[in-house]
């Protein structure tokens, strides 16, 4: 059964389902039957008296969608159209603009723009609102309707009207649709530091990270100082790939656990040290995260952080700590249902609170970073609650400027720095790889002098 951390029938079928439910054992709660009778009464009344003729399939789908929407933001029903879109996305290629979006009070809000896509190249940022497509207002449309309009034949153009908090006026961006072949894993070497950019967690991600490490080692001649794992704007994906990627950098210990409704329903996943061990041989690692790092990306960041294998830098992550299981209903329909919460090796949940960086590093290269709101799990309606309420408002509203982070975008550009967070991470790896620093980190602290 595939687990995903994320992104039929008409009246006769519905009647059969309801009949089966009514025929359940007598021990079932009689109130359930009354509610089912109420549902059928409403269904028949709408069919008979609604001002326009309505389609049975549309009514049933609407009822299912409403039921699942009352649970949490990530449980959903996928008809044949939705199921096909989900398959193409998790396989790593699809047609469109390269945006991950979420509904927010009836408006389409950008969660992330995938790297090397039309949306990313046009500068669309997390927190932007899309209000119009080709001049037509989409406020109030369903998320599926809006996404379908943004997708289309490769090579065709579409004009998006963007409202960006902090900007006085909306602005238009014209994009050309293309086949989105997401390069899940990219790598390069800067000053003997290996940079591994992971853009999603689909089937090829684990093997892609292994190949990236081998390529980096070849480029540096075996003298890699350390690695930066860039998980910014990574919306997540498959649980098994998050576990596989974490295992690449660990030689022992727990990676993640998931816990279901029952207290005894706990499943733990560990690094398989006997299979391969840490492929980076203990080299320093910095993991970069931001508000767009969600789900599977948070599993990796938290696992390496809790196991003291990496320093996490950047901004607090999205905060999606739930597991969705894909439950096939027919050959081309499925139910994506939240079935568990996941917990980090130290037993903490990132739900709502996200992964807190060890070192908070703002993206100074972005002129709008101070004014742009960060959309996170805690902002979504009916999100699952964490057992320990997390309040980061004081930290995030701290107006004091860290002297390390006082440079302006123009100053950084003149200095040749286009990505401040990445530049800071690379320089941190260089400092950690310094022999003197290594000796200091590996030298035990002296015992306290107890003489009086």
């Amino acid at each position: 059964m595939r687990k995903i951390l994320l992104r039929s029938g008409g009246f006769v079928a519905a009647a059969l389902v309801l009949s089966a439910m009514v025929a359940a054992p007598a021990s079932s709660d009689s109130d359930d039957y009354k509610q089912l009778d109420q549902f059928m009464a409403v269904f028949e009344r709408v069919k008979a008296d609604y001002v326009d003729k309505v389609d049975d399939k549309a009514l049933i789908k609407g009822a299912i969608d409403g039921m699942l929407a009352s649970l949490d933001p990530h449980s959903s029903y996928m008809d044949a159209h939705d199921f096909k879109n989900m398959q193409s996305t998790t396989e790593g290629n699809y047609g469109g603009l390269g945006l991950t979006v979420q509904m927010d009070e009836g408006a389409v809000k950008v969660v992330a723009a995938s790297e090397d896509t039309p949306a990313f190249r046009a500068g669309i940022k997390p927190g932007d609102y899309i209000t119009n497509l080709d001049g037509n207002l989409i406020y109030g449309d369903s998320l599926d309707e809006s996404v379908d309009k943004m997708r289309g034949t490769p090579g065709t153009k579409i004009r998006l009207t963007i409202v960006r908090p902090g900007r006085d006026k909306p602005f238009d961006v014209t994009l050309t649709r293309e086949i989105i072949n997401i390069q899940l894993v990219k790598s390069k070497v800067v000053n003997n530091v290996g940079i591994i950019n992971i853009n999603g967690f689909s089937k090829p991600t684990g093997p892609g990270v292994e190949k990236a490490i081998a390529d980096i080692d070849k480029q540096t001649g075996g003298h890699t100082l350390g690695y930066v794992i860039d998980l910014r704007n990574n919306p997540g994906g498959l649980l098994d790939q998050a576990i596989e990627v974490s295992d690449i950098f660990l030689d022992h210990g727990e990676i993640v656990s998931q816990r279901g409704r029952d207290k005894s329903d706990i499943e733990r996943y560990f690094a398989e040290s006997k299979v391969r061990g840490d492929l980076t041989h203990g080299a320093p690692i910095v993991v970069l995260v931001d508000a767009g790092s969600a789900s599977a990306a948070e599993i990796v960041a938290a696992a390496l952080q809790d196991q003291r294998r990496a320093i996490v830098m950047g901004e607090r992550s999205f905060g999606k700590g739930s597991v969705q299981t894909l439950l096939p209903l027919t050959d081309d329909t499925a139910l994506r249902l939240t079935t568990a919460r996941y917990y980090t090796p130290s037993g903490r949940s990132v739900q709502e609170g996200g992964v807190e960086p060890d070192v908070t590093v703002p993206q100074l290269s972005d002129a709008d970073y101070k004014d742009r709101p960060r959309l996170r799990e805690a902002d979504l309606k009916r999100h699952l609650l964490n057992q320990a309420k997390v309040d980061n408002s004081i930290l995030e509203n701290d107006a004091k400027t860290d002297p390390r982070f006082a440079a302006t975008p123009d100053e950084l550009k003149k200095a040749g720095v286009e990505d401040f967070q990445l530049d800071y991470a690379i320089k941190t790896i260089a400092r950690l790889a310094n022999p003197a620093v290594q000796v200091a980190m590996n030298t035990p602290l002296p015992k306290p002098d107890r003489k009086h």
Side-chain angles (χ1 to χ4, degrees):
M1 184 177 294
R2 175 180 293 178
K3 290 183 175 64
I4 298 180
L5 305 178
L6 293 170
R7 204 194 342 125
S8 73
F11 174 74
V12 175
L16 289 174
V17 172
L18 291 173
S19 298
M21 294 175 70
V22 172
S27 59
S28 297
D29 193 335
S30 60
D31 286 343
D32 292 343
Y33 305 148
K34 294 180 181 178
Q35 295 300 321
L36 292 174
D37 288 342
Q38 187 81 337
F39 170 81
M40 291 304 299
V42 172
F43 184 91
E44 292 291 356
R45 184 61 63 192
V46 171
K47 280 178 59 65
D49 297 336
Y50 187 68
V51 63
D52 295 320
K53 187 176 181 180
V54 290
D55 177 66
D56 290 347
K57 292 182 179 180
L59 284 178
I60 295 299
K61 185 177 186 301
I64 295 173
D65 288 343
M67 175 174 59
L68 294 172
S70 70
L71 301 176
D72 67 81
H74 308 295
S75 295
S76 62
Y77 167 72
M78 289 180 281
D79 60 15
H81 175 72
D82 298 331
F83 191 64
K84 183 178 179 180
N85 284 342
M86 184 278 300
Q87 286 180 313
S88 65
T89 300
T90 56
E91 293 298 328
N93 60 82
Y94 58 94
L97 305 176
L99 284 170
T100 300
V101 294
Q102 177 77 49
M103 290 302 292
D104 181 18
E105 300 292 342
V108 176
K109 192 171 188 178
V110 175
V111 175
S114 299
E115 192 169 351
D116 293 332
T117 63
F120 182 87
R121 291 191 292 268
I124 296 179
K125 303 291 185 181
D128 286 348
Y129 289 90
I130 303 172
T131 61
N132 298 67
L133 297 175
D134 287 330
N136 298 313
L137 184 68
I138 59 171
Y139 180 81
D141 289 354
S142 71
L143 187 62
D144 288 341
E145 290 172 331
S146 298
V147 169
D148 284 344
K149 290 174 183 176
M150 285 187 273
R151 292 186 172 185
T153 305
T156 58
K157 295 183 182 296
I158 184 171
R159 189 174 82 256
L160 280 62
T161 301
I162 304 294
V163 172
R164 177 171 294 172
R167 297 279 186 97
D168 293 335
K169 297 180 179 179
F171 58 93
D172 288 347
V173 176
T174 298
L175 306 178
T176 301
R177 298 181 180 93
E178 61 185 52
I179 296 297
I180 306 298
N181 293 303
I182 296 179
Q183 193 172 349
L184 291 171
V185 181
K186 296 168 58 180
S187 66
K188 63 181 179 180
V189 174
V190 177
N191 298 332
N192 269 17
V193 175
I195 301 164
I196 303 175
N197 188 351
I198 305 175
N199 293 305
F201 288 87
S202 297
K203 289 180 180 179
T205 301
V209 172
E210 290 190 33
K211 182 178 183 301
I213 293 172
D215 290 344
I216 290 168
D217 190 56
K218 184 177 180 180
Q219 291 180 58
T220 63
H223 299 293
T224 308
L225 295 179
Y227 298 84
V228 176
I229 305 171
D230 191 348
L231 298 177
R232 294 173 297 173
N233 289 324
N234 184 324
L238 301 177
L239 172 62
D240 60 354
Q241 289 302 302
I243 295 168
E244 184 173 338
V245 169
S246 300
D247 194 3
I248 288 171
F249 302 100
L250 294 170
D251 57 16
H252 68 277
E254 183 175 309
I255 293 172
V256 67
S257 64
Q258 63 179 52
R259 309 178 192 182
R261 179 190 298 180
D262 299 328
K263 291 183 178 180
S264 60
D265 185 9
I266 301 177
E267 193 167 359
R268 299 181 184 277
Y269 301 90
F270 295 85
E272 298 179 358
S273 57
K274 294 182 180 180
V275 177
R276 57 187 171 192
D278 175 7
L279 297 187
T280 62
H281 308 293
I285 294 175
V286 168
V287 177
L288 283 177
V289 297
D290 63 8
S293 307
S295 190
E298 293 176 290
I299 286 179
V300 174
L304 299 186
Q305 184 182 53
D306 277 7
Q307 294 294 355
R308 300 183 183 276
R309 182 63 191 90
I311 297 173
V312 177
M313 286 188 178
E315 300 172 323
R316 183 167 61 90
S317 64
F318 185 79
K320 180 180 178 293
S322 60
V323 179
Q324 283 68 49
T325 301
L326 192 64
L327 305 171
L329 300 176
T330 65
D331 289 341
D332 58 359
T333 64
L335 180 65
R336 189 175 67 171
L337 191 67
T338 299
T339 55
R341 289 177 169 87
Y342 73 78
Y343 291 81
T344 74
S346 65
R348 62 192 169 110
S349 169
V350 304
Q351 180 65 23
E352 293 189 278
V355 177
E356 288 285 356
D358 299 301
V359 181
T360 299
V361 180
Q363 183 55 299
L364 301 183
S365 309
D366 181 1
D368 298 309
Y369 87 93
K370 288 185 178 180
D371 297 320
R372 182 178 303 111
R374 273 66 169 173
L375 174 67
R376 292 189 171 94
E377 176 81 2
D379 300 314
L380 305 181
K381 282 187 174 181
R382 299 186 180 90
H383 63 270
L384 295 179
L385 299 179
N386 198 338
Q387 292 179 343
K389 187 63 179 175
V390 178
D391 183 7
N392 293 280
S393 58
I394 297 177
L395 291 174
E396 296 200 345
N397 291 330
D398 187 358
K400 295 181 180 179
T401 302
D402 189 319
R404 295 173 298 172
F405 308 133
T408 66
D410 288 338
E411 291 170 343
L412 291 171
K413 189 174 183 180
K414 289 179 181 178
V417 178
E418 296 183 358
D419 185 335
F420 179 76
Q421 290 175 326
L422 180 59
D423 181 74
Y424 195 89
I426 292 171
K427 290 175 179 176
T428 299
I429 290 291
R431 289 192 293 270
L432 291 174
N434 185 297
V437 175
Q438 289 289 328
V439 170
M441 291 177 67
N442 293 313
T443 300
L445 293 174
K447 293 182 179 180
D449 186 358
R450 299 186 181 279
K451 294 181 181 181
H452 298 283

